Amino acid sequence: MKAVVLFLFLIFWFCGFAQMDCILGVGGRDNETITKVFELTEEQQENLRNWSAELKIRNDFLKDKATYLMKKNKESPPEVLITVSKQYATILDSMKQNVGMIDKRLLRSFNNTQYERYLKLCGQLSLRPIHINRSVDEN
């Protein structure tokens, strides 16, 4: 019985740490939805457009780099492909970091009501919200 309880505890503990981040999706198809749901001001909407364009430029560069990496190594031996897969994973991690950075910028521009709405939506979706230091302005 103790083993079953311990097993269940470990499963629930792991699931708590495996919870996904509650990203906004800036730069994707959701910009209009973000604007409506959070009732963005004109200034916030302008920032959203600019940050979306910045994210596209950053990630397009990384996509090109990943495409080149794959094309250059498509007939490489398995030993080389292992190294290539690590490089590819690093590129994907960089893209994810870019998304997080831009989402944080937008979240910092939120007023208290908008940020509370974000926290509530994340909670309803059982996603881990991105916590921000509201005293720092990255703009």
Side-chain angles (χ1 to χ4, degrees), residues 111-123:
N111 61 37
N112 288 336
T113 304
Q114 292 168 323
Y115 190 68
E116 289 300 321
R117 184 174 296 147
Y118 165 75
L119 293 176
K120 183 178 177 182
L121 289 171
C122 292

Side-chain angles (χ1 to χ4, degrees), residues 26-27 47 49-67 90-105 108 138-139:
V26 172
N47 287 337
R49 285 189 290 275
N50 291 336
W51 293 331
S52 294
E54 178 184 343
L55 181 64
K56 181 176 179 357
I57 291 168
R58 287 174 177 268
N59 282 350
D60 281 353
F61 169 77
L62 292 169
K63 285 178 193 174
D64 291 345
K65 190 173 177 179
T67 301
T90 300
I91 292 170
L92 293 179
D93 287 344
S94 295
M95 293 173 84
K96 183 179 177 184
Q97 288 174 350
N98 287 340
V99 169
M101 176 188 65
I102 299 297
D103 278 0
K104 284 180 184 179
R105 282 186 190 171
R108 282 190 194 104
E138 189 182 284
N139 297 332

